[in-house]
Amino acid sequence: MALVLFAAAHLAAGILIGARLRVGALLIAFAVVLIEGIIGDRVFAAAPWWVLVLLGVGALQLGYAAAGAWLAYRGASQRQGFAPKKLDRVSGR
């Protein structure tokens, strides 16, 4: 259950990073996940550190990709549906 919550928290963080920040923020997020993995292994003995790092980074990347896809979809739907029509100079239509 703890690993599911860990993955869900990192998925949400990845979505927030993807919606607001750029790729450079993922480097900082990777460092944070690495520190979390080491602490989770040494202090809480939740799982091996490399499992926590892989799970956390994977969830972050998945959230970042989902946010990018959502932003691209939202931008495409706004451009497609609400674009003003150009009038023809000859017929006026």
Side-chain angles (χ1 to χ4, degrees), residues 65-87:
W70 178 70
L71 289 174
Y73 172 75
R74 188 180 68 170
S77 65
Q78 285 178 354
R79 279 184 265 131
Q80 186 180 38
F82 300 108
K85 294 182 180 179
K86 289 187 176 183
L87 296 176

Side-chain angles (χ1 to χ4, degrees), residues 45-68:
W49 68 270
W50 57 270
V51 171
L52 293 174
V53 169
L54 287 177
L55 182 66
V57 169
L60 275 171
Q61 291 291 331
L62 183 64
Y64 189 82

Side-chain angles (χ1 to χ4, degrees), residues 1-15 36 51-52 54-63:
M1 183 66 176
L3 289 178
V4 172
L5 291 174
F6 181 78
H10 286 84
L11 180 67
I15 291 171
E36 287 175 350
V51 171
L52 293 174
L54 287 177
L55 182 66
V57 169
L60 275 171
Q61 291 291 331
L62 183 64

